[in-house]
Structure formats: C-alpha cells, structure tokens
Amino acid sequence: MKGISNKEIILWIDRYLADPRLDAEAQLRKRWAWIWMVVTCVFVIITSFVELVVLKLWPIWWFGIVFWAGYLIGFPLYRRMKRFDLVINILFTVFIVAALFAMLQTGGITTSLGFIFIGMNCAMGSMLAGNLRWTIGMFVTYCMTIIILGLFQSSLTTPEYITPRINTLSFVGLTVWINACILLIVILFMKDKSRYEKSEAEKLRKIDEAKTKLFTNVSHEFRTPLTVIQGIAEQMEQHPEKWMQSAPGKIKAQSQLLLRLVNQMLNIAKIEADEMHLELIHGDICRFIRYIAATFQSLADTMKIELILNQQEVPIYTDYDPDKLMHVLSNLLSNAIKFTPPGGLVSLIVSKTFEKDKKFTLISVRDTGRGIPEASVSKIFERFYQVPDKHDQTPGTGLGLAVTNELIKLMKGKISVKSREGKGSEFTVLLPISKTAEKVADHGISMICSETAHPEITKTRIEDKTDETDHESAEKPVLLIVEDNKDVVEYLQEILQKEYNIELAPNGKAGLEKALEIIPDIILSDVMMPLMDGFEMLEKLKADIRTDHIPVVILTARGDFDSKLAGLSIGADHYLVKPFNEKELLFKLGNLLELRRKMQQHFGTFPFQSQDENSEFKPEYVFIKRINTLIEKEMGNEDFGINDICFSMNMSRAQLYRKFSAITNNSIGRYLRSFRLHKAKELLEKQGKNVTETAFETGFKNLSHFSTCFHEEFGFSPHKLVR
Ligand code: ADP
C-alpha cells in the first residue's frame, strides 16, 4: 500500500462504483456504504477464523455461511443496481435476523458472544445508504430482536461449548472491533461531508458569479431592442401619421430579438431541469442541412462572405431532431459569419463517418475568421464564456455555444473545435446514425419553430450607405453615426437629420475609414459592433492626428461605471446609455459643437496664444503648433505651400482642409498667407527691415503682390511701417 494515498483509494472506489444514473450526492452515499460493507466483510473473515478455528465454535458455522452468501450476492448487485440502498438494507436486515437466531442458539443476551452488537452495526450501516425509512425499519427490527431475546431469556439454556471464558473473550473482541468500525466510518463520513460541503459552497459561488455575469450580459442584450422600441414609441407620439406604417414591423423585429434571448435562457433552464426532450424524425439529414444553409445565404451575402456547402451526393438517412439541429447549426453558422471579415469564406461540410464501428453524420463549420485564442478554446463551451476582447464589448451572452453543446449531448453526439488565432476556426459535430423514429415527408423542415429560426436574419444589419446619403449642405455640421443596428440608425437619423448632415457606417472599422475620409464635425458611435468595436475605433481616432480633434459621443447599452470610465479614459467626449432620451442626445451634441465654436474663436484669432497651461496638451493646440513651426521654417520659401504641409503632416489635401477649418473656422490657404503677412509686419515694425527685404524673407517674390496682400490683411500699405 506504500505510496498510495487516501485520495487515490477514494478515486479508485469512485471509478469502480461509478454509475451515470446517479447524482453526485447518491454517488457519495454509495461510496460510504460500500466502504462500510467492505469493513464488515473483513470483520466477518477475521471473526469466522477466530470463532471457528481458534475457539472451535463449530455449532454456529451456519452464521458464517449466511454472511458469506450475503456478501457474495450483495456485492455485485450493489455495484450494478441503481437502488444500491435497497441491496444493502435487505442484506443488513438478513444479518440482523441471523444474529437473533445465533443468539437464541447460544443462550440469550448474556451469552451472546457479542453478537448483540452485530445488529446495531448493521442498523448504523444502513444510515449511510441514506434511505431514512429503511434505517428506521432496521433500528426497529434490531430493537425487536433484543426484546424477543429478553422475553425468551428465562427459557433459553446455554450450551456447553459457550464457556464463560469464550463468552467474555468473544464479547470483548467483537465490541472493540465494532467500535473501531463505527469510529472509522464516522471519521470518513465527517471528512467527506466537509469536502462535499466545501464543493457545494464552491458550486454556489460559481452559480452566483454566473448569475451576475448573466444579469450584466442579458441586461445589455435587452437594452438595444428596448431603446429602439422606446424611440419608435416616442416618434409615434410626435409624428403618428409618418410612423404608423413602418413602426409595427420594426417593433415586431425587435420583439423577436428579445424573444430569442428569452428562449435561449429558457432552453438553458430546461436543460438544467432535465426537461428538454428529443423529438426525433427519420429523414435525409443532408437535405435538411441544405435548407438551413440556404437560409443563411442572404446573411452571408450581406456580410460579403462566401458561404459554401460541401456534401456528398448520397443522402444520409438518420434520426434527428429538426428543431434542435436547426438551433445548433444556426449558432455555429451565425458565429462563423459574425467573426469572419468581408471577403472571407465559411464552409459547411457534411459527410458520413465511422468511429469505433459506429456510423456518424459529421457536420463541420469552417471559417477563415479571427479564430479563437488557444487559452479560450477549452472554455468556449462553458456557459456565459466569451472570448475576452480588448474592451469586453463583443455582443452576446456567451450562451450560444453552451446551449449548442448541451443539445448535441442530448442528441448523443459530440462537438469539438479546432482554431488558430487570426486564421480561422472549425467546429465539428458528430451525430450517431440511427433508425428508430418515424419517417417525415419534408425531412423536418416544417417542424422548425419560428423562434429558433436563424437569429441573425431577424437582426437587420445596415450596409454602408455612403453613396445613398445626401451630399452635405454647407451650413449643417456633419455627423457620422457608427452603429450596426439598422433600426437604431433609422431612429437616430429621424431625430438628428434636421440639424445635421448625416453620414453612416455599420461598424467601427467602416466608421474609422469614413472618419478619415470625410473628417466629420462630430461622431456618434455604438460600442458593441462586429469587426471593430466602438472603443477600439475611438482609440484609433484619438491616436490619429487627422481625427484626434473630432468630438465623439459613445452610445452604449452598458451602463456600468467601469465601461463608462473606459470610454472616457480613451477620450470619449460624452457617454450616453441606451435607452437614451432624444432631448438629452440633442442637447449633448449641441453642447459639444458649441464648445467647438468657442475653440474656433480661440484658434481663429491670429496669432493664437494658448489660454491656459492645459491647452498645450490638447490635440488641437499640438496640431496648430506643428503647422506654425512648419510655416516658420519655410518662411522665405515662396514655393512652400499646402501640398508641403500635407506631406509633412501625412494628410491628404481634403483631410487637411477639413481638419483645419474644423479647428479654426478658417481655410489653410488663407491662414498660410496671414501667417506670412503677420511675420512681415513684425519684421517691418520691430526689426526695421525694408519692404523688399521683408517681402523676400516672408516668401513673396512679387513686390506688388505683397503690397496688395498686406493692404488686404491690415488695411494699410507696408510702406507705412518703414521708418
Ligand atoms: P454568444 O451566444 O454570446 O454569441 P457563443 O457561446 O456562441 O456566444 O460564443 C462564445 C464566444 O466564442 C464568442 O464570444 C466568440 O468570441 C467565440 N466564437 C464562437 N464562434 C467563433 C468563431 N467561429 N470564430 C471566432 N470566435 C468564435
């Protein structure tokens, strides 16, 4: 036994007694009661030897036979039967009754050789099996045997072979032995109990953690549709005739999203309560999968992803549950499409395969998307698990794959995943092929319930509407809305189009590209979006000199303080939590633009000076300062112009124009000329240079052009300043 720890023995016992039909607690009881049986069995071996061989008590040999026969039948039954408690209780009852007869034979309580404790031992052992009724029954039976012995004591005679010495010896031996057994079991029991309680406490803690995570995720998922519904209701109140037609459809679509979420949670609850049952049909699974793939085609097209189905020509006839299979495939396909960038490939492969001589349908969903980090692959099927992304803002609850995994288990199948970060993922499902269910004409297509049917299709996504948007009219500021939910976009457009020229982008990546292209006056962005979330976009915008001045309002469903802080620390100018109030949004956007106007006044007065120390850290200040340094350096170079500034700042002409006028409300060309002329004035006034020298040093080769410009700028001729 050297080298084998208690833990290993316990592990071996658990493996030996393992029964998938039992829950953890029953399994634990089975273990305790089995140890008790083994200990008493050892005790029987030793006493049989002492009583028969050493003390030569041959007349009670039958008692040993009863024990041996009991264990021989009892042990295998105990291991295999689900009702192991019945096996042990019946066995122990037989032993109690046998002990009664043995005591009657040896002359009653006083000359019982200690058999009186055997019954007590059995009754206590029954406690471990955890069946209260039987335990009570056993104690009652044991008491009855003692009462019977008491009643018959006077009429019993002690046989000759029971001498006082044998009686005392056996009595002491048995009592010590039985006490030792009880002590051992109590120790084991208490140890296990505390371990069990600890694991229960850990389980409760995990459930608690999961609950909190669920609430956060679920409330987040609920907020977006609710924002849209609330917004539409507000619009209906204000412009009933306009919204009467389109509103019901939109509200319905959002309700469907909510319903799907609720259904997902109900599915988890059903699985948990063992109430999810298979409704199998028999049909060609390939045909059914073809149908599902077709329903995803339009989503793939919208996301500019190629979806291909690769299956053998021959049909695969098997039993399957159409609704559950639909759920599984929907989750795998929508994930693959969600996490694959435009231009990527998603393949659905179906074939027949063999494993350990059993036939299986193999379904594999492969994508060329972002892949899953190695550390996350093993956790991907856990409930509420989401691959941590930079800002923990991937939409979803982390329930999809957990439900999928449970459903596949219910179908007696297996799911596995292989993934390489940045390269793609492959989810493989193996479902056993069987033929017991009834054949259905349309291969189960009509049996899919509408709520499970393909979640992402109901979530309308917007396309990049660049070309459709009206060209901006000069007066209104340009607002870029970055949001992936079509209905939220429509609602925002509705309330903002009066005051802003609106540009749209369906995700952070497109938003960033658009912002660089058009340099909008203000950006309103959602956080959770495919391809690039709002925070990442914000970070990139604020790190880029071309866009770092643009005020950004983050619109999110996450109302918790940490998310807010994260957004603000990256540089968001405001943070609005969905569902937001229309007036609040308008007010905040207006406020930011008002601040911008004040800033323009500051930077627009020439030459500008920083008004406070902090302004030196402002991106606007840094930008103007860089331009000033450039102009200063090239002051005498007549050929130096806007193209050179663009080159040095790594900006296109349009970007420079847009950014410069956003900060100063002035054009860069005019600013360059003013800068030169102010320098000229300074040279004339303070350094006493003549007009020709001054014009030359400030980059004006043509003297009369210099004079005209100077007059335009200051209202008098440069000659006036010559001393
Ligand atoms: P949810 O229900 O929130 O969509 P899932 O359980 O379906 O969550 O997925 C859990 C996580 O697994 C997702 O957040 C995502 O990060 C990751 N994931 C799932 N499928 C893929 C895939 N095909 N490519 C990359 N990541 C994936």
Side-chain angles (χ1 to χ4, degrees), residues 654-672:
Q655 284 167 339
L656 181 68
Y657 269 108
R658 292 279 306 140
K659 169 145 187 166
F660 195 84
S661 76
I663 295 178
T664 63
N665 202 19
N666 196 354
S667 94
I668 178 77
R670 217 176 304 137
Y671 183 83
L672 180 59

Side-chain angles (χ1 to χ4, degrees), residues 159 237 323:
E237 261 172 17
D323 210 40

Side-chain angles (χ1 to χ4, degrees), residues 37 104 250 256 269 288 348 409 466 534 546 604 647:
M37 275 169 76
L104 286 173
K250 290 184 201 307
Q256 252 165 15
F288 182 75
L348 178 61
K409 271 199 228 156
T466 327
R546 295 167 289 183
F647 182 75

Side-chain angles (χ1 to χ4, degrees), residues 331 335 338-339 367 370 372 380 385 387 396-398 400-401 425:
N331 179 249
N335 273 349
K338 187 158 69 177
F339 296 110
D367 66 63
R370 71 174 196 194
I372 303 162
I380 207 87
Y385 183 79
V387 173
T397 50
L401 282 175
S425 315

